[in-house]
């Protein structure tokens, strides 16, 4: 393990893991618990395994105060704040991919890029029509392209600045990997009644 990337201990489970695999929290100047998604905020870091039940336990038992060794104010909606921030990060990355020219939108454009083997990730609306999506999923399987059933079409459209966005595809492999990681993290933090919806090659 590099000295620049040491391991950290989960404040709830005691499990030790690489800092990149954990959620980081800090106390703001007023002593309020703040989620530090980028792991860059100043202050003593409080680390948690990225699982919703672990965060819920931390909130219930105020593991933040114990870890920080001082009083800590925990927002009542901290779990929801964390989930929302992670979800927004995923949507922001999709928007960034489009602005950088690394994302195509639309059924035919996406299908063409998929056939050409130029897609690193196929992004499909969770509420898209099976008649439209199923052929793309089969084609993605043949091309060994990762598939992500992400968000409702309207949510994706807003993130991409489009009127509609049922089908889209990311051409940059590094961006695709980051989006997949954000989506997987969001699924771990989402309510347990929400099914996982990512299939990677």
């Amino acid at each position: 393990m590099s000295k620049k990337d040491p391991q950290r201990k989960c404040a709830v489970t005691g499990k030790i893991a690489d800092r990149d695999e954990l959620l980081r929290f800090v106390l703001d100047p007023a002593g309020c618990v703040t989620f530090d998604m980028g792991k860059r905020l100043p202050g003593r870091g409080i680390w948690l395994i990225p699982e919703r039940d672990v965060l819920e336990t931390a909130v219930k038992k105020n593991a933040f105060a114990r870890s920080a060794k001082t009083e800590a104010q925990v927002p009542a909606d901290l779990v929801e704040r964390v989930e929302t921030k992670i979800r927004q990060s995923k949507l922001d990355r999709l928007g960034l991919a489009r602005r950088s020219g690394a994302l195509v939108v639309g059924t035919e454009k996406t299908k063409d890029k998929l056939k050409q083997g130029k897609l690193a990730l196929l992004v499909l609306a969770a509420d898209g029509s099976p008649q439209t999506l199923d052929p793309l999923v089969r084609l993605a399987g043949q091309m060994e392209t990762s598939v992500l059933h992400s968000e409702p079409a309207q949510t994706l459209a807003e993130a991409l600045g489009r009127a509609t966005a049922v089908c889209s595809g990311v051409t940059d492999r590094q961006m695709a990997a980051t989006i997949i990681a954000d989506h997987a993290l969001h699924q771990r933090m989402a309510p347990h009644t929400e099914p996982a919806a990512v299939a990677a090659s």
Side-chain angles (χ1 to χ4, degrees), residues 101-113:
L103 183 139
V104 294
V105 186
T107 303
E108 293 306 318
K109 289 182 179 179
T110 301
K111 185 176 181 180
D112 288 344
K113 290 290 185 182

Side-chain angles (χ1 to χ4, degrees), residues 94-164:
L94 284 169
L96 177 61
R98 182 172 187 271
R99 291 192 297 276
S100 66
L103 183 139
V104 294
V105 186
T107 303
E108 293 306 318
K109 289 182 179 179
T110 301
K111 185 176 181 180
D112 288 344
K113 290 290 185 182
L114 194 53
K115 286 182 176 179
Q116 296 168 21
K118 294 183 178 180
L119 287 190
L121 176 64
L122 174 65
V123 181
L124 304 175
D127 56 353
S129 165
Q131 184 177 357
T132 298
L133 304 189
D134 288 353
L136 290 172
V137 172
R138 288 194 292 270
L139 181 57
Q142 296 169 11
M143 301 303 295
E144 298 185 345
T145 300
S146 296
V147 180
L148 189 152
H149 293 271
S150 180
E151 300 281 345
Q154 184 58 41
T155 300
L156 290 173
E158 292 172 358
L160 300 177
R162 302 273 298 191
T164 183

Side-chain angles (χ1 to χ4, degrees), residues 1-196:
M1 179 58 57
S2 168
K3 291 182 179 180
K4 293 183 179 179
D5 192 22
Q7 294 183 316
R8 294 290 187 265
K9 185 176 182 179
C10 174
V12 170
T13 68
K15 179 179 179 181
I16 296 175
D18 295 351
R19 70 194 303 276
D20 286 346
E21 299 174 3
L22 301 171
L23 301 180
R24 183 177 189 262
F25 298 81
V26 297
L27 301 185
D28 68 14
C32 185
V33 177
T34 301
F35 175 44
D36 178 19
M37 185 163 183
K39 301 180 176 70
R40 298 188 186 92
L41 293 177
R44 180 189 179 95
I46 303 163
W47 303 83
L48 295 176
I49 295 294
E51 297 289 350
R52 188 181 181 92
D53 57 351
V54 172
L55 179 54
E56 289 174 340
T57 298
V59 171
K60 182 178 180 180
K61 297 185 176 181
N62 198 352
F64 305 99
R66 184 174 67 250
S67 182
K69 298 179 180 178
T70 186
E71 292 184 7
Q73 300 175 32
V74 183
D77 62 344
L78 182 62
V79 177
E80 289 72 24
R81 289 188 190 186
V82 171
E83 180 195 349
T84 297
K85 196 163 187 177
I86 293 171
R87 181 189 186 207
Q88 189 58 52
S89 175
K90 173 184 63 178
L91 294 172
D92 289 345
R93 291 187 196 279
L94 284 169
L96 177 61
R98 182 172 187 271
R99 291 192 297 276
S100 66
L103 183 139
V104 294
V105 186
T107 303
E108 293 306 318
K109 289 182 179 179
T110 301
K111 185 176 181 180
D112 288 344
K113 290 290 185 182
L114 194 53
K115 286 182 176 179
Q116 296 168 21
K118 294 183 178 180
L119 287 190
L121 176 64
L122 174 65
V123 181
L124 304 175
D127 56 353
S129 165
Q131 184 177 357
T132 298
L133 304 189
D134 288 353
L136 290 172
V137 172
R138 288 194 292 270
L139 181 57
Q142 296 169 11
M143 301 303 295
E144 298 185 345
T145 300
S146 296
V147 180
L148 189 152
H149 293 271
S150 180
E151 300 281 345
Q154 184 58 41
T155 300
L156 290 173
E158 292 172 358
L160 300 177
R162 302 273 298 191
T164 183
V166 175
C167 309
S168 59
V170 182
T171 58
D172 183 275
R173 293 195 176 279
Q174 185 173 353
M175 283 188 169
T178 303
I179 292 167
I180 289 172
D182 275 354
H183 181 75
L185 180 58
H186 177 237
Q187 290 296 322
R188 294 173 73 177
M189 298 307 301
H192 297 303
T193 54
E194 183 176 325

